[in-house]
Amino acid sequence: MSFSFALLNLQQRDAVQTIHGPVLILAGAGTGKTRVITMRIANMVDQGISPENIVSVTFTNKAASEMRERITEILGKEKAKKLTLGTFHAFCMRLLRQHAEALGYKNNFTIYSQGEQISLVKKILARLLVKEENYDPSMALSRISKAKNAGESLGDPMQTVDGALQQLYTDELRAMNAMDFDDLLLNGVKLLEDHPEVREAVQGKLRYVMVDEFQDTNTLQMRLLRALVPPPHNICVVGDDDQSIYGWRGADITNINEYESFFPDPKIIKLEENYRSTTPILHTANSLIRNNVGRRDKSLWSRNAGQDPVRLVVTEDEKEEAALIADEMTDAQTKGEKWDDMAVLFRTNEQSRVLEGEFRKRKIPYRIIGARSFFDRREVKDILAYLTVLANPDDDVSLQRILNTPTRGIGAATAELAREHSIKKRTSVFAALKDPEFLENISQRLQVVINGFVETMESFRGQAHQPLQPLQPLAEKFIAEIRYMEYLEKQAKTPEDFETWKNGVKMLMQSLTGYDERAKGEGLQGFLDETSLNDDREEKEDITKKTGVCLITLHASKGLEFPYVWLPGMEEGILPHKRSIDENRKDEERRLFYVGITRAMRKLTISHCRYRVKWGQKQTCMASSFLQELDRQYVEEFDHAAYMNEDLDKDDATDFMAAMRRQLMSEA
DNA sequence: GGGGTGTCGATTTTT
DNA sequence: TCGACACCCC
Ligand SMILES: Nc1ncnc2c1ncn2[C@@H]1O[C@H](COP(=O)(O)OP(=O)(O)OP(=O)(O)O)[C@@H](O)[C@H]1O
């Protein structure tokens, strides 16, 4: 046997040894659910099941690669490599890359993430009507997404804006051979539900299914599982209803209840011992989550009494809060703790700015997890748009982004002409650019420019499709060819701007190099898939690998653990967030807080400010209403602002005494 | 068509 | 405070 049951308690062992039939593991935070999945996979392989027949779905790609790492340690690389591990979206994406044609797409479809979705919606809205004020594109998008998930329509396209928008959005995506994140699931489901030959092939291969973080699955994902798993229902799901924090994205806790109706008579396993946190931390977490109505109570305990109470600190403002955290970290580090073992968890990405500033100032090494901000940088978006068009020339949105970047004289008017022509001819915009009938109607000068652009694109498209072509050198050559760096230099208002952009390009090149070295033979398409699905494997190679304290949102922290945790900004309006209060979703915010608390292993510090600068304006902050729900048995409260003031007074006093002394001395 | 300036408005969370 | 976008001049 390649692993030891000694690492598991009785209930965990039960779960690990029940290989056939449905299994439902419902258990609180830190009870070893993820460990059970990992060990269960190892045990199955030990029992002679081939790793190719096992699929395990995780919530993030990061969680997937961590799981693969752990399994590699137990089973070795050869076997671990053969497992199917990833998110629902990644799973569907791979399926669709093979079978998209069955659904009328081409296999080189583009995956649209939020930025591209929004720019498409904006464009449709602008064209569609109207400048209806307060028609928020991202709100519209989330309505579309909800409707898609529920399989509904937003109303008659002739009657409502939403209806028209949804139809145009859907049609245009399809015309561009593009799918958004919901389409990946939707089309994955279609493939399995409506195409028996595909379904049977997949079912024949993936005979054992496991799902982590089941409480955050949505309707489409549940449908996918039903289509994927035939009787005798070899499906094991694990989850914790108290940690469901993605309701805003369509996650549906009722999936837990419905599980039993789709996969009858499951073995139900409860885990109650928490191996992660000390009693003070766990007790505090329990006292909070009890306030959610309609929740099923569960017991959760730890045999680790711990050394430290949970601390609840109030500071004057967000700068003082950041300084306090930095102080405490430095202190702990001096006493021998590792930076890697410390983390700050916050509600909104924006909160990390103050912390970053403070850490930089004090030279505390830090890493920011999850933030996609790198891919939102203009220089990165530009180059990715180029690469995207090379992979899928039908992608009009990406094409529009690059058509005049760098400036080459193809302005908005020409782009609109091309678009109109493409509609008339029912082709893509790129095809329109090549059409002699289109070129006829524009100036000589423009014809030359457009021909040049098309030629460059097609030449590089050919090269990118050479088998085993390394991407980084090709991209480098391409950037030189279109004179992109020269363009950036010209655009930059200050030399620093240019430096920053140059650096962005360089980092993108590094991730291409990383991809080339991993040589998976999936070419340009593979690279783009990884970036749009937020697969951070390549990041691991350079950015994240650096050690340092961890800055991360509460949402992204799910499933992780740290010996030292700080939860700053616990104020009404931040957690619970204002929008959530308005939309009556405080319960989910409470769960978010619960997730945050239960990430801590040994030491937890919760803090809030009296004032906070927002949009350059000092604002009074109220402590989060959740704080009064925390049982104080193990909580130590501390008014840091008052302490600082005292300190000031003390300084004043010493100064005063010194002045007195000086005066007395000089008089004497 | 390109580039500069000024005003207004906005911040939740992510596959 | 910062970025998106509208508007204006070259
Ligand atoms: N039987 C056990 N004995 C000792 N330690 C364990 C045992 N089971 C799990 N652990 C440890 O407890 C910690 C939490 O485990 P794990 O991450 O699997 O929990 P989880 O239930 O997935 O948590 P969460 O739902 O909060 O993400 C890990 O550090 C793990 O190594």
Side-chain angles (χ1 to χ4, degrees):
Chain A
M1 207 185 306
S2 48
F3 73 99
S4 164
F5 279 107
L7 293 168
L8 302 168
N9 66 31
L10 248 68
Q11 293 79 7
Q12 290 177 322
R13 260 178 239 183
D14 198 9
V16 165
Q17 288 177 304
T18 311
I19 293 177
H20 300 282
V23 179
L24 172 63
I25 304 173
L26 278 181
T31 49
K33 295 186 294 295
T34 306
R35 176 182 282 201
V36 165
I37 294 212
T38 314
M39 296 301 223
R40 195 166 181 270
I41 294 173
N43 184 43
M44 285 174 152
V45 175
D46 255 13
Q47 301 290 312
I49 294 170
S50 163
E52 282 131 62
N53 293 333
I54 301 173
V55 53
S56 175
V57 185
T58 55
F59 193 72
T60 62
N61 285 299
K62 184 165 186 279
S65 43
E66 261 165 32
M67 188 170 290
R68 197 184 296 277
E69 249 167 67
R70 276 193 256 172
I71 295 176
T72 307
E73 285 163 21
I74 304 172
L75 293 178
K77 200 165 174 173
E78 271 315 295
K79 285 178 180 161
K81 221 170 56 188
K82 293 184 184 150
L83 293 163
T84 303
L85 287 181
T87 62
F88 278 103
H89 292 89
F91 175 76
C92 289
M93 182 271 290
R94 275 177 238 137
L95 205 58
L96 288 162
R97 285 274 173 238
Q98 289 174 45
H99 303 288
E101 269 153 22
L103 301 173
Y105 288 86
K106 299 184 206 158
N107 289 344
N108 63 341
F109 61 85
T110 301
I111 300 168
Y112 270 24
S113 35
Q114 198 169 29
E116 290 119 359
Q117 296 183 60
I118 286 185
S119 60
L120 178 57
V121 167
K122 272 190 195 156
K123 231 175 302 160
I124 294 174
L125 282 175
R127 212 175 332 126
L128 200 57
L129 49 165
V130 193
K131 320 193 144 174
E132 205 146 320
E133 294 296 319
N134 70 32
Y135 207 96
D136 181 356
S138 48
M139 298 277 266
L141 208 46
S142 94
R143 286 195 297 275
I144 292 178
S145 167
K146 286 217 177 82
K148 254 188 198 172
N149 265 291
E152 289 164 0
S153 140
L154 283 177
D156 186 350
M158 306 302 286
Q159 301 290 325
T160 69
V161 178
D162 263 9
L165 176 64
Q166 184 185 23
Q167 182 163 64
L168 283 170
Y169 175 78
T170 309
D171 291 351
E172 299 216 357
L173 275 182
R174 190 171 261 277
M176 291 187 295
N177 192 28
M179 300 188 199
D180 65 15
F181 282 101
D182 299 313
D183 289 329
L184 288 176
L185 299 177
L186 194 61
N187 291 323
V189 167
K190 269 192 199 150
L191 215 44
L192 292 181
E193 282 182 355
D194 306 340
H195 296 263
E197 70 292 350
V198 177
R199 179 176 63 239
E200 275 154 29
V202 176
Q203 285 178 346
K205 179 173 181 239
L206 304 174
R207 294 209 289 270
Y208 297 87
V209 177
M210 264 161 280
V211 185
D212 201 359
E213 311 280 10
F214 185 65
Q215 74 280 357
D216 275 322
T217 51
N218 65 25
T219 319
L220 283 173
Q221 292 165 339
M222 191 66 193
R223 264 173 74 187
L224 191 87
L225 290 176
R226 285 165 58 195
L228 181 64
V229 183
H233 301 313
N234 294 326
I235 173 170
C236 167
V237 303
V238 311
D240 177 5
D241 40 1
D242 289 332
Q243 293 188 67
S244 163
I245 53 175
Y246 283 88
W248 52 274
R249 212 175 70 186
D252 189 0
I253 313 193
T254 57
N255 278 350
I256 294 184
N257 304 324
E258 287 186 351
Y259 178 85
E260 289 189 53
S261 57
F262 296 131
F263 307 110
D265 298 322
K267 172 149 215 161
I268 297 179
I269 289 176
K270 297 215 156 88
L271 308 174
E272 299 186 337
E273 176 166 4
N274 174 300
Y275 293 95
R276 177 184 295 144
S277 314
T278 64
T279 299
I281 291 167
L282 215 51
H283 179 88
T284 309
N286 282 333
S287 71
L288 172 78
I289 201 66
R290 251 202 310 276
N291 290 280
N292 269 359
V293 285
R295 100 176 236 282
R296 32 176 139 184
D297 202 23
K298 56 169 100 66
S299 119
L300 187 60
W301 59 278
S302 162
R303 65 180 79 206
N304 181 356
Q307 309 277 319
D308 305 291
V310 171
R311 289 187 327 130
L312 184 53
V313 187
V314 53
T315 63
E316 185 67 13
D317 57 24
E318 78 278 6
K319 298 219 74 142
E320 193 182 296
E321 188 179 43
L324 171 81
I325 293 175
D327 278 344
E328 294 186 348
M329 287 177 160
T330 313
D331 218 43
Q333 199 259 350
T334 331
K335 288 186 183 132
E337 300 294 338
K338 287 191 297 228
W339 294 124
D340 299 28
D341 287 343
M342 311 180 202
V344 191
L345 280 45
F346 36 79
R347 175 69 236 260
T348 67
N349 283 304
E350 171 246 5
Q351 286 177 266
S352 81
R353 286 182 174 233
V354 210
L355 295 160
E356 287 172 59
E358 191 66 27
F359 293 166
R360 257 199 305 271
K361 204 167 83 190
R362 311 220 193 176
K363 307 227 180 321
I364 296 177
Y366 64 89
R367 57 206 157 120
I368 301 172
I369 307 284
R372 264 188 69 87
S373 58
F374 177 68
F375 295 101
D376 291 334
R377 293 167 62 160
R378 63 89 63 100
E379 69 278 19
V380 178
K381 280 206 276 196
D382 284 344
I383 295 174
L384 283 178
Y386 268 105
L387 297 178
T388 305
V389 175
L390 289 180
N392 171 21
D394 297 337
D395 180 351
D396 298 343
V397 170
S398 299
L399 179 64
Q400 188 164 70
R401 178 179 185 97
I402 58 172
L403 205 47
N404 205 28
T405 307
T407 26
R408 45 171 79 86
I410 312 176
T414 315
E416 183 55 24
L417 274 179
R419 201 184 70 83
E420 276 162 17
H421 189 85
S422 78
I423 292 170
K424 205 169 69 204
K425 288 298 191 96
R426 306 184 143 274
T427 62
S428 67
V429 173
F430 191 79
L433 293 179
K434 292 196 290 185
D435 188 347
E437 276 182 49
F438 167 72
L439 292 166
E440 244 164 43
N441 294 317
I442 57 175
S443 72
Q444 192 77 45
R445 188 187 61 85
L446 267 173
Q447 284 180 27
V448 175
V449 173
I450 290 178
N451 282 332
F453 173 76
V454 169
E455 255 167 53
T456 309
M457 293 304 285
E458 299 208 309
S459 139
F460 276 87
R461 180 170 157 75
Q463 295 176 59
H465 280 84
Q466 300 285 319
L468 299 178
Q469 163 70 48
L471 297 177
Q472 190 272 334
L474 189 68
E476 205 87 63
K477 202 168 109 194
F478 185 76
I479 288 168
E481 169 89 20
I482 62 172
R483 304 181 58 77
Y484 185 69
M485 297 319 284
E486 291 84 341
Y487 162 74
L488 284 184
E489 190 163 16
K490 202 162 139 242
Q491 286 266 306
K493 288 200 188 72
T494 66
E496 291 83 59
D497 280 357
F498 182 51
E499 275 312 304
T500 314
W501 289 337
K502 228 163 69 179
N503 206 258
V505 175
K506 199 174 123 199
M507 294 202 307
L508 188 60
M509 290 306 118
Q510 277 169 6
S511 80
L512 276 166
T513 308
Y515 178 81
D516 286 334
E517 279 164 5
R518 271 179 285 130
K520 290 205 298 155
E522 281 164 19
L524 179 56
Q525 194 71 256
F527 178 76
L528 294 171
D529 286 344
E530 280 186 15
T531 28
S532 33
L533 291 184
N534 218 357
D535 196 337
D536 54 2
R537 257 172 298 176
E538 85 275 2
E539 233 180 294
K540 272 221 168 80
E541 243 65 73
D542 41 86
I543 309 165
T544 328
K545 203 166 122 195
K546 274 195 279 178
T547 59
V549 305
C550 183
L551 293 174
I552 189 169
T553 63
L554 287 162
H555 280 93
S557 76
K558 194 170 63 154
L560 306 179
E561 60 188 19
F562 304 92
Y564 283 69
V565 168
W566 283 263
L567 299 174
M570 291 300 147
E571 291 138 36
E572 201 69 6
I574 298 184
L575 188 81
H577 194 272
K578 183 165 184 320
R579 302 271 292 251
S580 298
I581 303 173
D582 294 347
E583 288 160 25
N584 225 348
R585 303 167 25 149
K586 263 183 91 168
D587 280 10
E588 185 158 306
E589 297 286 299
R590 192 179 278 107
R591 289 195 288 271
L592 202 47
F593 193 7
Y594 176 77
V595 167
I597 296 174
T598 55
R599 297 311 93 196
M601 297 164 78
R602 278 159 36 206
K603 241 184 133 157
L604 173 67
T605 307
I606 302 167
S607 61
H608 65 277
C609 309
R610 295 224 163 84
Y611 302 95
R612 186 172 286 274
V613 177
K614 204 178 178 188
W615 300 325
Q617 213 87 74
K618 193 171 167 179
Q619 304 212 315
T620 313
C621 302
M622 275 189 358
S624 165
S625 52
F626 293 150
L627 295 183
Q628 56 201 30
E629 296 174 0
L630 303 178
D631 189 273
R632 301 294 146 125
Q633 185 181 352
Y634 295 103
V635 173
E636 182 185 287
E637 294 186 63
F638 180 56
D639 190 332
H640 186 258
Y643 167 77
M644 292 293 279
N645 281 332
E646 250 170 59
D647 237 28
L648 277 179
D649 291 347
K650 245 188 276 164
D651 281 356
D652 285 353
T654 26
D655 286 355
F656 177 74
M657 293 304 284
M660 284 285 281
R661 249 196 318 272
R662 269 199 304 276
Q663 193 159 10
L664 287 171
M665 300 271 280
S666 62
E667 273 171 22

